Amino acid sequence: MPRSRTRRRTVWVCQSCGLESSGYYGRCPSCGAWGTMVEQAVDATPATGDAKGTGAPVQELSRVTSAERTRLSLRSPEFDRVLGGGLVPGALVLLGGDPGIGKSTLLLQAALRLASEGLRVLYVAAEESPEQIRLRADRLGKTSDGVLILAETALDRAIEIAQELDPAILIVDSIQTVFLSSSESSPGSVSQVRDCTAQLLQFAKRARTPVFLVGHVTKEGLIAGPRVVEHMVDVVLYLEGERFHQHRLLRAAKNRFGSTNEIGVFEMTDSGLLDVSNPSALFLAERASHAAGSAVVVTLEGTRPILIEVQALTSSAGYGTPRRIATGFDATRLQVLVAVLSKHAGLKLGEQDVFVNVTGGYRLVEPAADLGVALAIASSASGLPLDDDAVFIGELGLAGEVRSVHGLERRLQEAARLGFRSAYVPASARISSPVSGLRIVAVGSIAQAVSSLAVRAVQDRLSHGVRREE
Ligand code: TYD
Ligand code: MG
């Protein structure tokens, strides 16, 4: 947008956190990084907003139309779920993730689906050539006339074209490779990324066109560029996954139009990302039956319960402090659980290395998994398997008590649906209606859990072990 009365001034911008200052610092006063301040010329007029404002009328709140009614579905239940039920008009969505994780694939697939229904999508390819995108589309088994590819890194021109074409969605891949000619810094720099986002924000709001921005994640796990970009956009999505696993998780780190608890699960196949409507089946697919050290936990992601297998392995430690190593589970939490097991369930783990692995590359964050993780450790320590068709739900307190968790009934229903026959739940939990096909075992403490029916054998073995030691 041409701007009159533009004045230039120079500022020092931290390349790590985006702090702007009028003077130079060897060490950024905001994030503490050394040698990251770079001198940059900026417009004295603010990057966002118009001097005259938007010219919007004052209106009664009750007459403002709700965005709910006008959400655009991306024809993928998993994608829509994370967005809070589809795309809101004028929403600016940042999609972040490691290189090669599938960001471009996810967006191109959405574009192709919309285009096959007659909608027009403008895909600004600032990283790849149109030929590369065509190859990807061929791999996805679809091409459609409705997807318009614009290989352009000059954002001013891309926005001009978008204004003319008025697409249903604009995709910019990626925000780090486009630039504004009015901004002198190089593409990918803090001020360039911020100014480009500001321009796209203006476009999205004015044209009421949803805009997707692809952003790369740096080593520190943040989207490269200033944090301020995350503040400017409406929705921040992360596509995550393990390199050697097929599934991808889409999470919302921020969502002005919905919850940030929901996750979308996809599977990367030879023909693109497929929605996984039953993630538990995916995570439990390779479970070995009657294996010691394995427990199934039920985690609740937003409104959806997901069943996941946790594996534990204990083995005698060599010299030095025994190791407690967790993959997909918080290491500090693991230490706490080992301490609780030693103190309150009588397990001798002082000279044992303890390893915990959440299968499928999933990251378990909910305390509701405590009981399952602790029992998996107890099972491995004893060499005896837990109940094969049981799930374990409950948080562990430091006194060894099993504490209640939210959404218990929903978790139980999912376990029953997947064919599990029993569920170990906190004794304090109230279950208003029985879940058909599921035997409920109420456990009040970890000591009780270890000595309960399912792990009776575990306990027998432990006490034999103790007797042998005597
Ligand atoms: P891509 O979308 O290019 O990742 P990003 O944009 O996040 O950098 O995805 C690249 C990876 O996905 C690449 O390793 C190949 C793989 N892939 C498949 O396995 N199946 C497919 O159908 C497609 C298109 C890609
Ligand atoms: Mg890409």
Side-chain angles (χ1 to χ4, degrees):
M1 209 185 51
R3 254 190 244 120
S4 55
R5 293 183 293 109
T6 304
R7 284 179 291 121
R8 311 288 289 176
R9 65 187 169 100
T10 52
V11 291
W12 294 88
V13 180
C14 171
Q15 297 296 299
S16 167
C17 70
L19 176 90
E20 250 180 39
S21 103
S22 54
Y24 174 78
Y25 291 95
R27 184 184 188 190
C28 172
S30 169
C31 68
W34 289 93
T36 52
M37 305 293 284
V38 171
E39 191 173 20
Q40 275 167 9
V42 293
D43 291 350
T45 36
T48 44
D50 216 299
K52 292 191 209 100
T54 59
V58 175
Q59 46 184 331
E60 281 174 35
L61 181 58
S62 56
R63 294 186 181 230
V64 178
T65 43
S66 162
E68 291 302 324
R69 271 173 254 154
T70 47
R71 282 182 192 260
L72 173 68
S73 163
L74 294 175
R75 277 64 167 180
S76 152
E78 296 299 304
F79 207 158
D80 284 348
R81 177 205 308 278
V82 180
L83 288 167
L87 266 181
V88 169
L92 186 59
V93 183
L94 181 63
L95 174 63
D98 289 332
I101 202 76
K103 302 178 293 296
S104 304
T105 305
L106 183 71
L107 293 179
L108 184 62
Q109 280 184 283
L112 289 167
R113 281 193 302 268
L114 291 176
S116 69
E117 296 190 13
L119 294 171
R120 186 189 282 170
V121 180
L122 180 59
Y123 192 115
V124 178
E127 251 174 32
E128 293 168 306
S129 66
E131 291 75 28
Q132 279 172 302
I133 296 173
R134 174 65 202 256
L135 276 179
R136 183 178 291 126
D138 288 344
R139 197 166 169 187
L140 299 170
K142 269 195 208 166
T143 35
S144 180
D145 293 340
V147 179
L148 306 169
I149 302 289
L150 173 65
E152 181 60 272
T153 50
L155 191 66
D156 321 64
R157 179 161 176 260
I159 290 180
E160 250 169 54
I161 291 174
Q163 270 158 350
E164 270 166 42
L165 293 175
D166 190 26
I169 296 188
L170 171 65
I171 296 169
V172 178
D173 189 357
S174 68
I175 189 65
Q176 278 114 346
T177 44
V178 289
F179 71 95
L180 286 173
S181 47
S182 58
S183 187
E184 274 163 19
S185 40
S186 56
S189 70
V190 173
S191 59
Q192 197 53 272
V193 167
R194 183 195 51 201
D195 292 351
C196 287
T197 310
Q199 286 298 313
L200 286 164
L201 182 69
Q202 276 193 21
F203 166 76
K205 301 299 164 194
R206 212 175 326 115
R208 291 179 58 74
T209 305
V211 177
F212 275 108
L213 304 178
V214 172
H216 295 294
V217 169
T218 61
K219 278 197 257 40
E220 292 78 35
L222 296 173
I223 288 178
R227 243 348 233 258
V228 70
V229 171
E230 294 195 14
H231 297 310
M232 285 158 83
V233 301
D234 298 307
V235 181
V236 179
L237 303 179
Y238 281 97
L239 188 62
E240 304 171 348
E242 295 282 317
R243 221 166 128 203
F244 302 107
H245 289 102
Q246 290 309 303
H247 69 266
R248 302 281 180 269
L249 301 180
L250 186 65
R251 290 180 189 274
K254 164 183 175 179
N255 191 349
R256 288 197 180 132
F257 313 115
S259 146
T260 51
N261 294 326
E262 300 289 353
I263 65 163
V265 185
F266 300 89
E267 193 177 353
M268 181 61 97
T269 67
D270 282 342
S271 50
L273 288 158
L274 295 186
D275 277 43
V276 176
S277 53
N278 189 356
S280 306
L282 180 77
F283 290 121
L284 296 178
E286 290 170 56
R287 190 163 70 110
S289 55
H290 297 295
S294 156
V296 176
V297 300
V298 190
T299 177
L300 198 59
E301 294 278 0
T303 53
R304 180 162 58 169
I306 298 180
L307 276 73
I308 290 169
E309 183 193 359
V310 175
Q311 295 182 327
L313 179 70
T314 61
S315 70
S316 348
Y319 294 105
T321 319
R323 289 176 295 172
R324 278 86 181 81
I325 293 176
T327 312
F329 190 74
D330 184 57
T332 316
R333 191 76 199 145
L334 173 59
Q335 293 188 342
V336 172
L337 295 185
V338 168
V340 169
L341 277 168
S342 309
K343 180 97 180 175
H344 299 289
L347 257 67
K348 292 182 164 48
L349 297 169
E351 286 164 14
Q352 298 276 307
D353 285 336
V354 179
F355 306 95
V356 165
N357 179 34
V358 178
T359 57
Y362 193 87
R363 209 161 24 89
L364 262 186
V365 285
E366 247 205 328
D370 285 355
L371 181 63
V373 175
L375 287 177
I377 296 170
S379 165
S380 175
S382 65
L384 289 164
L386 295 165
D387 230 357
D388 230 5
D389 54 8
V391 294
F392 301 90
I393 306 166
E395 179 179 348
L396 282 192
L398 292 186
E401 79 278 19
V402 179
R403 309 179 71 105
S404 52
V405 302
H406 73 283
L408 182 60
E409 285 180 35
R410 210 174 304 147
R411 297 178 204 247
L412 294 176
Q413 275 153 9
E414 179 72 359
R417 199 176 68 78
L418 285 159
F420 284 83
R421 309 291 294 277
S422 52
Y424 289 73
V425 305
S428 54
R430 268 183 227 102
I431 300 166
S432 49
S433 54
V435 181
S436 73
L438 207 61
R439 187 170 63 94
I440 302 294
V441 185
V443 281
S445 66
I446 184 66
Q448 188 198 341
V450 169
S451 62
S452 67
L453 195 65
V455 285
R456 167 79 33 87
V458 174
Q459 196 204 21
D460 286 348
R461 180 78 164 264
L462 284 178
S463 55
H464 284 139
V466 171
R467 230 171 279 142
R468 265 206 303 277
E469 276 170 26
E470 280 165 1

